[in-house]
Amino acid sequence: MAIETTRARPALRALLAAVLLGGAAQAAAQPAKPAIEGVWKIATPTTTLKPVAGAVPFTAEGRKAYDANRKLRAQNKIDDYDITLSRCSNPGVPRLALSPMRFKIWYRQGVVTFDYEWNRALRQINVGVPPQPDLLGQGLVPTATGKSKGHWEGDTLVSVMEGASDRTLIDDLVPHGYDLKVTERYRLLDADTLEDRITIEDPAYFTHPWEAVVTYKRQPDAIFPEDVCLDRITAHKPAFPG
């Protein structure tokens, strides 16, 4: 028994060394604490995602859906086109980027988490995490925030989101379909200013990809209070507090 234990020790040491080296390699491949971590708030509150150049490049189908949304809003039929405002449904991506309330970014074990003060919504971006088998076919079911895969390019977080439900909106009016692809590039302009450069693609609704930019200002670190959007709706107040 003593001989077998002695022989096993080198193998155990080798295994431990491999685990430690693997952990060190992973740590070297990703920032231990990215500078974008912290609490942020949109610099200029807005409900509209404006293209960097020109107008939103709608296809005929996209323009038709957009005009229908405008008509529904004029008739105050909010639930027919915007379930975020009527039912407090998650705004989705990229509309979450326009949240007027604070949000916190934190990075742990290959996952960047966006923790929103509004309705305590969450969004996660997998960074360097191997894809997991989809045994239940959940990937076939669109969700409000879709699936986001990311990587670091220097100090810039690049995220690509696909698989979003077509019940969400780009902003407060602009529609999209199932083929929506949103690429975001988060980077610091200075220590207290965060930029999110957003590229929107959906060939059914837009004639070509278009880009928008949203900036945020760093806020003091704080624990967010509970926020229940449905309480505001019940009280006949806006889903997003002014």
Side-chain angles (χ1 to χ4, degrees):
M1 180 66 68
I3 295 176
E4 291 180 357
T5 302
T6 301
R7 290 176 177 174
R9 286 176 181 170
L12 289 174
R13 285 197 293 269
L15 178 60
L16 178 60
V19 171
L20 292 175
L21 286 173
Q26 182 178 9
Q30 60 186 26
K33 188 175 182 181
I36 67 172
E37 284 192 326
V39 179
W40 302 92
K41 188 173 183 179
I42 193 168
T44 305
T46 179
T47 60
T48 304
L49 195 64
K50 297 181 180 179
V52 170
V56 177
F58 287 115
T59 61
E61 180 179 355
R63 171 63 66 179
K64 180 179 178 181
Y66 175 74
D67 289 343
N69 287 351
R70 291 181 59 190
K71 183 177 180 180
L72 290 169
R73 181 166 70 177
Q75 297 172 345
N76 200 32
K77 295 181 179 180
I78 299 175
D79 195 54
D80 289 340
Y81 78 96
D82 191 348
I83 57 177
T84 293
L85 296 187
S86 66
R87 309 183 197 178
C88 295
S89 175
N90 189 307
V93 178
R95 193 179 180 186
L96 272 170
L98 304 179
S99 174
M101 300 172 71
R102 298 170 296 177
F103 63 94
K104 181 179 293 186
I105 299 176
W106 44 283
Y107 181 43
R108 299 293 184 276
Q109 297 183 352
V111 178
V112 179
T113 298
F114 288 66
D115 181 0
Y116 292 87
E117 184 176 14
W118 180 85
N119 213 31
R120 297 315 304 268
L122 287 174
R123 179 196 175 194
Q124 292 186 318
I125 301 172
N126 289 334
V127 181
V129 177
Q132 301 299 311
D134 184 9
L135 301 178
L136 300 178
Q138 294 174 338
L140 301 176
V141 181
T143 61
T145 54
K147 287 190 175 182
S148 297
K149 296 181 181 179
H151 63 275
W152 294 98
E153 293 183 2
D155 58 359
T156 299
L157 171 63
V158 181
S159 168
V160 179
M161 189 285 300
E162 296 179 285
S165 168
D166 66 343
R167 293 300 305 275
T168 63
L169 296 170
I170 299 295
D171 54 20
D172 63 338
L173 273 176
V174 177
H176 67 83
Y178 287 115
D179 294 327
L180 175 68
K181 178 181 177 181
V182 179
T183 302
E184 296 172 280
R185 301 180 65 88
Y186 291 91
R187 69 184 182 101
L188 290 178
L189 299 182
D190 57 52
D192 296 319
T193 307
L194 177 68
E195 176 187 84
D196 181 12
R197 187 166 291 270
I198 306 168
T199 301
I200 309 293
E201 300 177 67
D202 187 340
Y205 281 69
F206 311 113
T207 58
H208 57 80
W210 56 282
E211 189 176 76
V213 177
V214 183
T215 56
Y216 310 92
K217 287 297 182 180
R218 192 182 293 274
Q219 306 295 307
D221 195 11
I223 297 176
F224 294 162
E226 192 67 27
D227 182 73
V228 184
C229 175
L230 283 173
D231 285 351
R232 286 191 289 275
I233 298 297
T234 301
H236 304 290
K237 297 180 179 179
F240 291 100

